[in-house]
Amino acid sequence: MKVYTSDGRLKVSLLGYSYQAVAGDITLTALVSYLFVSAACTITLPAVATVPAFTPMTIKTIVAGDPPVIVAGDGSETIDDELTKTIAFSYSAMTIISDGVQWRIV
């Protein structure tokens, strides 16, 4: 079953896990279990305070050619003490969690 968000992006939720595919810049307002990215873009994470602590989210590039995917915290929130992290290689992934204060790569 395919479910689409109001702006036409594919989003599916099965067994408590959610999946979303994106091909451009996006600001997440809620945590997604798996985010598949098919183009160079910036992914802005939701505010740390709005997501359950220690819930994982995996961001994976699904395109050849090493498109940079920039992952940014909300406002001044950080990811392992940095404002942004980059997924620089094709078919690479980053799994992150919130520790209640900032985002952590696991």
Side-chain angles (χ1 to χ4, degrees):
M1 174 187 205
K2 291 183 179 180
V3 178
Y4 293 89
T5 61
S6 61
D7 59 358
R9 292 189 179 107
L10 178 65
K11 184 174 185 178
V12 176
S13 181
L14 299 169
L15 302 173
Y17 296 99
S18 57
Y19 158 94
Q20 189 168 347
V22 298
D25 293 352
I26 185 171
T27 298
L28 299 172
T29 57
L31 201 59
V32 178
S33 301
Y34 301 99
L35 188 67
F36 292 94
V37 183
S38 61
C41 64
T42 298
I43 307 297
T44 303
L45 301 171
V48 169
T50 65
V51 299
F54 305 105
T55 303
M57 177 172 131
T58 299
I59 301 167
K60 178 161 178 71
T61 62
I62 56 170
V63 64
D66 299 335
V69 174
I70 298 167
V71 182
D74 180 60
S76 63
E77 292 180 348
T78 60
I79 305 163
D80 282 351
D81 296 325
E82 294 183 23
L83 291 174
T84 64
K85 291 288 188 174
T86 301
I87 303 172
F89 302 104
S90 299
Y91 305 104
S92 294
M94 175 189 300
T95 300
I96 57 173
I97 61 168
S98 160
D99 66 5
V101 177
Q102 70 171 321
W103 293 100
R104 298 286 184 187
I105 298 173
V106 294

